[in-house]
Amino acid sequence: MPTQPKLTRFNQNVLSKYQIYNSIFVTLPFDTVTRTGTLLPLFQATCEKGFANQDDPTTIVETFFKKYQARRSPESQINLLFRFIQYIERQVVLFDAIEDAAFPVVNNMDGIGTLRSLKESASKNNKLDLLRRYLEEFKVRIVLTAHPTQFYPGSVLGIITDLTQATRDNDLVKINNLLAQLGKTPFYKHKKPSPYDEAVSLIWYLENVFYKSFGSIYDYIQQNIFDGKHIENDIINIGFWPGGDRDGNPFVTPEITLKVASRLRATVIKNYYRDARRLRRKLTFEGIEQRIVTLETELWKIITNKKSSLTVEHFASEMNAIKDIIVDKHQSLYFNEVNSLINKIHLFGFHFANLDIRQDSRKHNQFFNDMVNASIKNGDAIFPENYYNLTEREKVKLLSEIKGRIDLSIIKDEDTLKALETMKAIKTIQDKNGEKAANRYIISNNQTTLNVMQLFAMLKLVAFHDKLTVDIGPLFETITDLENAPAVMEELYTNPEYATHLKTRGNKQTIMLGFSDGTKDGGYLMANWAIYKAKENLTRVSRAHGITVIFFDGRGGPPARGGGKTHNFYASLGPTIEDKEVQLTIQGQTISSNFGTLDSSQYNLEQLISSGIHNSFNNSDLSMLYENREVITDLSERSYKAYSDFKAHPKFIPYLEHMSTLKYYAKTNIGSRPSKRGKAEGLVFEDLRAIPFVGSWSQLKQNVPGFFGVGTALKHYEDAGEFEKVQNLFKTSDFFKTLIENSMMSLSKSFFDLTRYMAEDPDYGEFWKIIYNEYETSKRLILKLTGYKELMQEEPAGKASIAVRESIVLPLLTIQQYALKKIQELEKEGVKTDDEQLRIYASMVTRSLFGNINASRNSA
C-alpha cells in the first residue's frame, strides 16, 4: 500500500483526532468546563468574523457579549474571559499530546535524514568506510538552557506524557480521565522557580527521554555502521546550562552549581541501577550473576548516599568482562542488553551531561579588577602595582604567564567571591564526576583578547594551579564583535601560553556566535550573514594555526531564528566552514516539541547527525559563488540599515513598553532570572533580554525578528530591475534558501489583523504602519522570489500544524489585546497602578501569555 502524503497523514492522525477528543473535553462533568466549552466556539466564530471585517479586539469582545451573553454582569464577563483562557491552555496541551503521539506516523522515521537512510546511501555509493571515518570524529551536542519559554509546570508535563501514550493507544477511558485531570490541574506558577528547580525540570528529559534515545541511536550506529565494533567517539552528548549559566542571573550560586552536578550524577546512576536490576533477572549464569549483583549493590549505595568505591571506569570494566563471558560461554544470550548498558556508560559516564558555566565579560572585568585590587592590597607578588597602567597587550602577556594562588579569604566583595568560588566548584565537580562533568566556560559578550585572558588567569589562580582542564569559549554576539572575532582569535592562537593550553585540549577551540543578541542587534539577514562570514574567517584563521574550531550556535542565531528547521541550516554550509561538530542550544518549549518524546528526540537527533555529515557526502559544491556573495552582502547591508533605522525610531522602545506584553513577562514566574540585565529604572535596549524581546513581537503576532529588513532589501533589486540576481541566489545557495524558508515561517505566524486598530492610534499609528508595510513587502517579495503561491507551500504539513495552533489561540490573542487596550484606557484616565480593575486586566494579559507561547512551540 503506497504511503499517503504527509499532509493527509497529519489530517487523519492529528487534526481529526484533535476534533474528536476536543469534543470529549466539552462533555466533562464540570459546570464551568461545560459552559465554557459551549460558549468558546461562538466566541471563536465572533473573532474570525470580526477580524475578517477588520474590527478591533475590543469591538469583537463587546459584540460577543452583546449577542450571546447580554445578561452577564461586567464581573461575570471578566470571569468568562478568564475561563476561556484556562480552557484554551488545555486545548493547546491536548493538541500537543495528539501531535506528539502521531509523530512517527506523520514523519517518516526511516526517510531522508535518518540514520537508516544515511547508511543505505553510504552503502549504495561505496562510502561506508568514509562514513565510519567521519563518525569516529564527528559529534553532535544539544545544549539545554534554562531560558524561560516553557510555561508548563511539571504536573502538566506529566499529563502531556500520559495523554500522548493514551492517544497513541486510543484508550478513550484513560483519555477521558486525563482530560478531567487536566481540567483541574493549575497551569500557573505562584512563585518563580529557583535555578535548581529549572535544572530538575530539565533533568526529567535526560532521565526519561535522552537516556533512551541517545542509547538507541548509538546502538544503531555501532551495530549497523561499525558492525558491532567499539567506537571511541561518543558522537552524541548533552550540554546543560541550568545551574551553570549565571549571565544576568544573580540567583545562580556556586552551591547551586554543585547541587545540580550532584543531581545529574545521582540521576544517571539511578538509570544505571534500573538497567542493572533488569539485567540481574536475566544474567543468572555461573560466573556472571554475582558480578551483576555486586554492581547493582554498589549503584544502590551511591543512590542512598552510602559509601561506595565504584568508579565509572570499574563499572565499564566489569560490564565489558560480563559481555566477554556471555560471548565465550553463554552463546551471546542477552548480549544486546549488556552491550546497550556499556554504550550508555560510554555516553553518560557518572556526569550525564556536560555542565557549562557562563558569565558576561563585563562582569568578569569587574570581578577580575576586584581580585587584582585585593591581591595588591594584600601584598601578594602576583600582580605588579602598576597593573592598570599597562597596555592591553602587556596585560594579555602578563595574564597568559600568570602563576600563584589567590587566597579567597582576602576577597570582600560578595559577587566577586561567588564568581571565584564557582571556578573552584568546577574543579570539585571534575574531581567527583569526571572531567567531562564541567569543563567549559562561556564568556558572553566577549569583545577582546583580554576578556579571554582575564578568565584564563582567574581559573589558574583560583582552582587550576597545575593544569587547566577547562575549555574557554568566547561568545561573540553583536555585529561589531562578530567582525572583530577573527582578530581576537588570531591573537590568542599566537599567544605561546594559550597555544600550549589548546594543545593539552586536543587543539580544539569552541567559539559561540550570535546567540540571542545577534538578531536583536543586527536584524535577521545581517545577523545570519555576519555569523556565516565570521565562521568562514574563524575557520580560515583556526586552520592556519592547526586548530579545529568548534562552532556552538545559539538558538537566536542562524539555525532557528524564525523557528525554522535546524538540520536544513547545517546541511547548507559549505566546505569553507568547519563542520567536525554540531553544537546548538535548545530551550523552552523547543525542548518539549523537538525532543520531548522518544520518537521526536530520536528523529531530530538523527536529522542533526545526518545534516552535519551531509557536507562531506555531498558531491555538489556548496561554496558560496562570488557573485552570490556580492548579492547577499548587499542584501544584508540594506536589511541592516532598514532594521537599524527602525530600531532607532523614537517610538521603538515606547511601543514595546506600552503596546506589547514585554513588561508582563517578568510576572509569569516561568524563569528564575530577571527579564533584563541592567538595574536602570527605564527600559534600555542593550539591557533587554532576547527572550522577552522576541516573545513580545510573537505575542503581537508581528514577529519582527524573523523578517524585518528582508522586504526592503529585496525591493531594492525589484526597483532596480535586477530581481533575477536574488532569484539566482535563492536557486544556487542552499544557505540563503534556508534563511528565506525560516523567514517564511515567521511571516506565516504573523497576523496583523489582530493589531490593525493600532494604525489609528495617535501615538503609535505611524510606527505600526512601518512594521505592517515591511511585513507586506517581505511577504510579497518572498513569494515572488520563491515562485510560491502561498507561504510555506513546500511544507504543507508544517503549515497545517501552524494553522491549527493559530486557530486555537486566536480567541486568546483577542482577549490579550482587549485587556491591553483596557489597561491603556485606564492609564490615560489617570487610574492609579494599584487599582483593582488595572490589576485584573494585567492578570488577564499575564495569563494569556502561557497558551500563546506554548502553541507556537518554536518562537524563541
Side-chain angles (χ1 to χ4, degrees), residues 272-288:
Y272 291 151
Y273 173 74
R274 290 185 189 126
D275 281 356
R277 264 186 85 78
R278 280 191 284 268
L279 281 172
R280 178 183 175 179
R281 294 173 65 90
K282 296 178 178 181
L283 302 179
T284 52
F285 320 138
E286 188 180 344
I288 292 181

Side-chain angles (χ1 to χ4, degrees), residues 73-210:
S73 66
E75 184 183 359
S76 178
Q77 290 180 0
I78 293 291
N79 287 338
L80 180 61
L81 293 178
F82 271 110
R83 290 215 304 274
F84 281 161
I85 291 171
Q86 291 173 309
Y87 193 91
I88 294 164
E89 284 173 346
R90 285 150 181 80
Q91 284 183 310
V92 173
V93 169
L94 176 61
F95 189 79
D96 279 350
I98 292 168
E99 196 164 45
D100 285 345
F103 190 92
V105 180
V106 175
N107 296 279
N108 186 350
M109 301 298 283
D110 292 322
I112 293 170
T114 63
L115 286 174
R116 181 170 177 176
S117 171
L118 182 67
K119 189 239 177 182
E120 287 176 355
S121 173
S123 298
K124 182 181 173 184
N125 295 300
N126 295 316
K127 289 186 175 180
L128 209 49
D129 284 339
L130 176 63
L131 177 58
R132 290 190 191 108
R133 284 199 301 276
Y134 201 79
L135 285 169
E136 282 166 356
E137 287 190 352
F138 180 71
K139 291 178 189 286
V140 167
R141 179 183 295 190
I142 57 168
V143 180
L144 308 187
T145 80
H147 295 115
T149 57
Q150 172 58 271
F151 287 76
Y152 294 140
S155 54
V156 176
L157 285 173
I159 294 171
I160 293 175
T161 302
D162 294 342
L163 194 54
T164 298
Q165 189 56 50
T167 305
R168 191 170 286 160
D169 298 339
N170 285 318
D171 187 337
L172 286 175
V173 173
K174 195 171 183 181
I175 289 167
N176 197 62
N177 289 339
L178 286 165
L179 289 175
Q181 182 186 349
L182 197 61
K184 288 176 170 286
T185 302
F187 278 40
Y188 190 75
K189 296 176 182 177
H190 294 286
K191 63 176 185 176
K192 276 181 174 288
S194 71
Y196 183 69
D197 294 333
E198 289 172 330
V200 169
S201 176
L202 288 187
I203 288 171
W204 184 92
Y205 290 100
L206 272 68
E207 180 178 3
N208 295 284
V209 181
F210 294 137

Side-chain angles (χ1 to χ4, degrees), residues 848-860:
S848 67
L849 290 170
F850 301 135
N852 290 333
I853 281 287
N854 286 328
S856 68
R857 281 211 151 184
N858 58 5
S859 63

